[in-house]
Amino acid sequence: TNSYINDTGTGRLKLQSNQVQIRNAANTENMAQFTENGAVELYFNNSVKFETNTNGCLLGDNVKLQLGGSADLQIYHGGTNSIIQNSTGDLYFKNTNNLFIQVNDNEAAIYARPNGAVELYYDNSKKFETTSTGVSVFGLQTINGGSTDTPFKINATATNGPHMRFQKDGSDLHFIGCAPGTAAGGDSEDLAIRFKDQLFFNRNGTNFAKIDDTAFYPNSTNTYDLGASSKRWRNIYTNDLHL
């Protein structure tokens, strides 16, 4: 029924040739080929699917490394793009040390560090980093809210409530937000602005009024009005009035 090459000795069975081919019964298709000083090739339906070369091995375009009982994970090159495709469950990338995703050979894109930061880059320049207390953003931030009416929201459960701090070289200068968070007194329903020196009101690059620690006054004399003939303040309460 079958044909056998059966070596029952203790030595080796050697086939010696500068090229060995294993072909189908009709001698019309290669199944495997072994070339002296060259490649080992494995075929499927007379098409090379696996080939060794001087650097390791070669898989042709659209030849897939398939893992899992139902080929759930596939890794292959489609002729134009390289693809990792998972068809069941979740896909995890795990590494004991740092995990780096780079483009253009050595340009940083995403760095993930164990027990540390996740960093996002643009053109090899870090723009976003997670920290032990939240995140740090580098450079200009643009928020595109689209159709939502709340493109930017600050929410906090701390006693001081949500607020923003503006810093220069790491030093806090100004605060805007919930009154307790700006140390302005009041309660969490009050909004406060805390500034270090002066608070300016500016339109189109020109200051027209400001507040300092003594007064609220126009930025130039005899130039700006308080109210208008058709939009008047109802009452003015003052200890003194200079006209």
Side-chain angles (χ1 to χ4, degrees), residues 126-127 137-141:
K126 184 165 61 176
K127 300 301 181 184
V137 182
F138 306 89
L140 176 66
Q141 293 85 55

Side-chain angles (χ1 to χ4, degrees), residues 1 6 51 65 73 90 131 147 219 231 240:
T1 304
N6 187 4
E51 176 184 348
L65 172 62
L73 178 63
D90 299 321
T131 68
S147 59
N219 202 46
K231 292 184 180 295
D240 199 357

Side-chain angles (χ1 to χ4, degrees), residues 66-213:
Q66 301 182 117
L67 307 173
S70 301
D72 304 311
L73 178 63
Q74 300 180 355
I75 303 175
Y76 63 99
H77 182 73
T80 303
N81 302 307
S82 298
I83 301 168
I84 299 176
Q85 180 175 329
N86 179 49
S87 59
T88 183
D90 299 321
L91 180 62
Y92 289 83
F93 290 90
K94 292 186 177 183
N95 188 45
T96 302
N97 296 313
N98 298 326
L99 177 62
F100 294 163
I101 297 179
Q102 296 181 329
V103 293
N104 290 335
D105 291 335
N106 58 1
E107 182 177 317
I110 301 175
Y111 283 2
R113 307 179 187 278
N115 303 315
V118 174
E119 304 170 2
L120 303 182
Y121 290 75
Y122 177 87
D123 193 20
N124 214 35
S125 176
K126 184 165 61 176
K127 300 301 181 184
F128 184 93
E129 177 183 351
T130 61
T131 68
S132 60
T133 57
V135 298
S136 292
V137 182
F138 306 89
L140 176 66
Q141 293 85 55
T142 301
I143 300 174
N144 297 309
S147 59
T148 179
D149 62 353
T150 311
F152 181 69
K153 181 187 294 186
I154 300 177
N155 183 36
T157 59
T159 303
N160 287 338
H163 59 280
M164 294 185 293
R165 298 187 182 189
F166 298 85
Q167 294 183 320
K168 175 65 168 66
D169 295 331
S171 298
D172 291 328
L173 298 176
H174 312 295
F175 300 72
I176 296 177
C178 184
T182 65
D187 58 32
S188 59
E189 295 184 355
D190 298 324
L191 178 68
I193 301 176
R194 171 184 167 185
F195 54 94
K196 186 174 182 179
D197 188 13
Q198 300 180 86
L199 173 62
F200 284 91
F201 296 87
N202 185 293
R203 183 178 184 276
N204 291 334
T206 300
N207 294 328
F208 64 88
K210 60 184 177 181
I211 301 174
D212 60 16
D213 59 349

